[in-house]
Amino acid sequence: MRYWVILVALYMINWCVCVMKNLVLLLILVPLYSQAWVLPGLGDYCFEAVNDGVYIMHGPLQEPSKQNQGFMNNPGIVVTKNGVVLIDPGGTYQVGKQVLAEIRKITPKPVLSVFNSHIHGDHWLGNQAVREAYPQALIYAHPNMIAQASSGIGKDWINIMQRMTEGASKGTKVVAPDKAVQQGDEIVVDGQRFRIHSFDPAHTDTDVLVEHVDSKTLFMGDNSFNGRMGRFDASSNMHGSIKVLNYVKTLDIKTFIPGHGQSGKFDIAVKPFMDYLNSLQKIVKQGFEQELEDYEIKEVAAKQLQACKDWHGYDEQFGKHVFKMYLEIQASEL
Ligand SMILES: [Zn+2]
């Protein structure tokens, strides 16, 4: 009799230990699985639903740095019946891997296709992680982007990221897009329609805006910023950017995804940047006609464009924007 009591007691102890072990395991694993990607000092990053089946991971607004590890863009996904379409997988191999890890918290489905919005490395160097995990996935982009990424410009971006992140992007390699798309193309992926809008040059001479027709979502690349000044480099055209923003206003779109900053309706995600560029164009043109110098125009513009003073990058970029607009107006008058 005593033997059976001991046996039952041992069984109960064993059962309790087993339950406790599983509970501890569960307590460890659940937070690990559900926890967002944390960049210390910047915040938590994960995909948020912005439309039916459409998710965005809104990145930090800063330039690439050691702190943000090269993550600063807005990777987007559309979940289809059998997979995922990924737009702009991030700025380094490491960021691309984090983006894929966050996608897996939304769905276990594989990445079927990728779109790259333009040549700036913070948007596409994560291609390497996608190609490694999903070798069959096709990567679509503007033909100029494919040519530039495959040439020295792709390598230049590797070096820029390496320098700005102080080595956090080490090991990142160029994986250039492989399928060219152009204005008016409609790409069907797993039954979902993606329409391409592209007018050269605007933010760069490599831009594609990707419309997910079924959800009325527009992935704008850097043709719009929200709360950020952004850069207009040598390949850009500010007048072209204004034209693109006027064009997207005419499209039947519910949700606009800027390259950086919060997504939303046109009035939230696009209008402030469009108003800024329109006002800047008007002020600089008036100054040019009055034969003011560019630094004098900058003073006038700064007084009139108070609304953008708090945007990220204002101190560094505002003067450059005025000068770029001045040069474009000067060139158009010649
Ligand atoms: Zn850009």
Side-chain angles (χ1 to χ4, degrees), residues 20-34:
M20 288 299 285
K21 266 186 186 168
N22 283 331
L23 202 64
V24 168
L25 204 64
L26 203 68
L27 285 172
I28 294 169
L29 285 180
V30 165
L32 274 181
Y33 183 76
S34 59

Side-chain angles (χ1 to χ4, degrees), residues 118 120 123 203 222:
H118 65 296
H120 292 159
H123 292 259
H203 175 64
D222 283 354

